[in-house]
Amino acid sequence: MITMLDKYFYDDFFKYYGNIPAVRVSDHINSNMELFASVYDDAYYSVLINEGLNVAKTAGVIGTSYFKFCEQLGKKTSFGFPKEQNLNKFMFDIAFIYLYNNIPEQVSEFLGVKLLMRNIYTEVAEQLYGNKTEESVEKIKTIATADSYGIKRDTPKSRDEWFFNLCVEVGSNSKCFSRKIGAVLSRDKSVISTGYNGPPRGIPTCDQRWNLDKEFSKKYNDRIKNKETKGRCPRYVIGFKSGEGLDVCVAGHAERNALINAARLGIETRGFKDDPTTLYMSCGIPCTPCMVEIINAGVSEIVVTVISFYDQSAEYLLQNSELKIRLFDFLK
């Protein structure tokens, strides 16, 4: 029956129904048929409709085109068909009803329009469970979170506290086994980018490096002995102290990733006097490489949890830049 979906069917669809919403076409045609029946003899109407659907069914089975279908149906119905009615439109309506009732998805795809009304329940069930069975649909109708109709949390005492909470939520997705840090870049009191620390996109977590990087494993194998490596930071497993063995770490810092994510999406990070940007982070003052990128990205201000420097160069950069710095206001 898909052979009936030809150029002539496409043209007739838009000729007769191109001016109404596609999802309403089926109802519109059925209404036309009912009106036709109310004006003309019911018996004649029934014979005409059945004749048309039989021709359409035959055309669908043997693979006839819509053009040929119209030729065949026209020969059978032209005699006695009301002159004030449009026979060509009637034949299209018959073809459409037949195809819509049997292969609605293919008709919709062929025409490039949405003929079927969305069923939100089945749509969401398929997304969540991978199917749209009756059981899955019923689950969708009853499922809900405890806070579906309102968040039962205390309102943050300040915007700073709200942004800090966002940093914590963002950081919770970190794959770093050492610490989880989140950063939120904002403009005009709105979030424009986020980032958390961890390996680059698509790169395995660092605890898998022992199995994936033979040179790395060979270099440090004698220092791990029988220590557990799964779910643990390689630097700590090897025995490096804080601040040592940084070349072993393949993670990007949260504040750096917030800037990279903005760049990836074409979002401007540079702040201006009347339109500043602020980078909130759930950590202390950034390290030297991150500080370089923050300054070069044009960020106006950073907000941190503690005034402590990761290294001396970071302090030097901050002292000689115009980058503003402050603590979250709820820490006072």
Side-chain angles (χ1 to χ4, degrees), residues 87-101:
L87 178 59
N88 291 329
K89 184 173 182 293
F90 173 80
M91 291 190 293
F92 172 82
D93 289 351
I94 293 293
F96 181 88
I97 291 172
Y98 171 72
L99 292 171
Y100 180 82
N101 288 339

Side-chain angles (χ1 to χ4, degrees), residues 303-319:
V303 184
V304 298
T305 57
V306 60
I307 302 299
S308 64
F309 290 95
Y310 199 86
D311 52 53
Q312 192 276 327
S313 293
E315 182 176 4
Y316 166 78
L317 289 171
L318 186 57
Q319 287 176 339

Side-chain angles (χ1 to χ4, degrees), residues 160-171:
D160 266 19
E161 185 176 351
W162 182 68
F163 273 112
F164 175 76
N165 292 340
L166 289 179
C167 288
V168 172
E169 288 296 326
V170 170

Side-chain angles (χ1 to χ4, degrees), residues 1-6 9 50-74 76 91-92 94-96 98-99 102-103:
M1 67 184 67
I2 201 166
T3 55
M4 292 180 69
L5 299 176
D6 60 14
F9 181 87
N50 289 333
E51 184 71 33
L53 290 176
N54 286 334
V55 174
K57 183 177 181 180
T58 301
V61 171
I62 66 177
T64 300
S65 68
Y66 168 70
F67 181 80
K68 287 293 184 181
F69 157 78
C70 289
E71 281 189 341
Q72 293 167 5
L73 183 58
K76 290 179 176 290
M91 291 190 293
F92 172 82
I94 293 293
F96 181 88
Y98 171 72
L99 292 171
N102 287 277
I103 53 171

Side-chain angles (χ1 to χ4, degrees), residues 12-229:
D12 277 357
F13 175 83
F14 288 100
K15 176 181 179 182
Y16 299 126
Y17 298 107
N19 62 336
I20 66 174
V23 294
R24 303 296 182 193
V25 170
S26 177
D27 291 339
H28 191 79
I29 290 177
N30 287 327
S31 296
N32 286 344
M33 292 295 182
E34 291 176 4
L35 179 62
F36 190 90
S38 67
V39 173
Y40 300 98
D41 181 72
D42 282 349
Y44 171 76
Y45 164 77
S46 297
V47 171
L48 195 61
I49 295 296
N50 289 333
E51 184 71 33
L53 290 176
N54 286 334
V55 174
K57 183 177 181 180
T58 301
V61 171
I62 66 177
T64 300
S65 68
Y66 168 70
F67 181 80
K68 287 293 184 181
F69 157 78
C70 289
E71 281 189 341
Q72 293 167 5
L73 183 58
K75 291 177 182 179
K76 290 179 176 290
T77 58
S78 59
F79 181 76
F81 190 83
K83 293 182 179 180
E84 63 274 16
Q85 296 293 329
N86 187 332
L87 178 59
N88 291 329
K89 184 173 182 293
F90 173 80
M91 291 190 293
F92 172 82
D93 289 351
I94 293 293
F96 181 88
I97 291 172
Y98 171 72
L99 292 171
Y100 180 82
N101 288 339
N102 287 277
I103 53 171
E105 290 84 5
Q106 291 94 320
V107 177
S108 185
E109 182 178 358
F110 174 75
L111 294 173
V113 297
K114 188 173 293 185
L115 294 171
L116 300 171
M117 290 289 287
R118 290 178 65 186
N119 186 318
I120 302 301
Y121 292 112
T122 57
E123 186 178 310
V124 175
E126 189 167 20
Q127 291 173 345
L128 189 61
Y129 299 114
N131 63 68
K132 44 188 177 182
T133 63
E134 186 176 342
E135 181 182 1
S136 295
V137 171
E138 287 305 311
K139 286 182 180 179
I140 292 299
K141 292 179 179 180
T142 58
I143 199 170
T145 65
D147 297 337
S148 293
Y149 291 97
I151 299 173
K152 298 176 181 178
R153 296 182 182 177
D154 292 337
T155 302
K157 295 180 176 61
S158 67
R159 190 167 296 276
D160 266 19
E161 185 176 351
W162 182 68
F163 273 112
F164 175 76
N165 292 340
L166 289 179
C167 288
V168 172
E169 288 296 326
V170 170
S172 68
N173 201 39
S174 169
K175 308 304 183 293
C176 179
F177 298 115
S178 174
R179 59 177 64 87
K180 294 178 180 289
I181 304 295
V184 175
L185 182 63
S186 75
R187 183 193 297 277
D188 192 24
K189 302 178 182 179
S190 299
V191 176
I192 61 173
S193 183
T194 64
Y196 52 82
N197 61 319
R201 295 169 185 262
I203 303 299
T205 52
C206 56
D207 63 336
Q208 299 183 49
R209 190 173 182 182
W210 300 104
N211 300 320
L212 300 175
D213 189 341
K214 293 181 179 179
E215 290 299 319
F216 175 80
S217 182
K218 181 179 179 180
K219 181 177 180 180
Y220 294 109
N221 198 51
D222 61 328
R223 298 179 63 174
I224 66 170
K225 298 179 181 179
N226 295 321
K227 295 179 181 178
E228 177 63 48
T229 60

Side-chain angles (χ1 to χ4, degrees), residues 207-280:
D207 63 336
Q208 299 183 49
R209 190 173 182 182
W210 300 104
N211 300 320
L212 300 175
D213 189 341
K214 293 181 179 179
E215 290 299 319
F216 175 80
S217 182
K218 181 179 179 180
K219 181 177 180 180
Y220 294 109
N221 198 51
D222 61 328
R223 298 179 63 174
I224 66 170
K225 298 179 181 179
N226 295 321
K227 295 179 181 178
E228 177 63 48
T229 60
K230 185 176 181 180
R232 298 189 64 197
C233 172
R235 289 172 56 208
Y236 292 154
V237 174
I238 294 170
F240 287 120
K241 296 179 180 179
S242 179
E244 296 179 346
L246 297 179
D247 60 308
V248 171
C249 181
V250 295
H253 289 182
E255 53 272 42
R256 167 184 284 181
N257 284 333
L259 298 176
I260 291 173
N261 289 336
R264 182 185 176 96
L265 298 175
I267 298 171
E268 186 171 19
T269 59
R270 181 177 52 168
F272 302 92
K273 183 177 180 180
D274 298 327
D275 187 24
T277 52
T278 300
L279 184 60
Y280 299 86

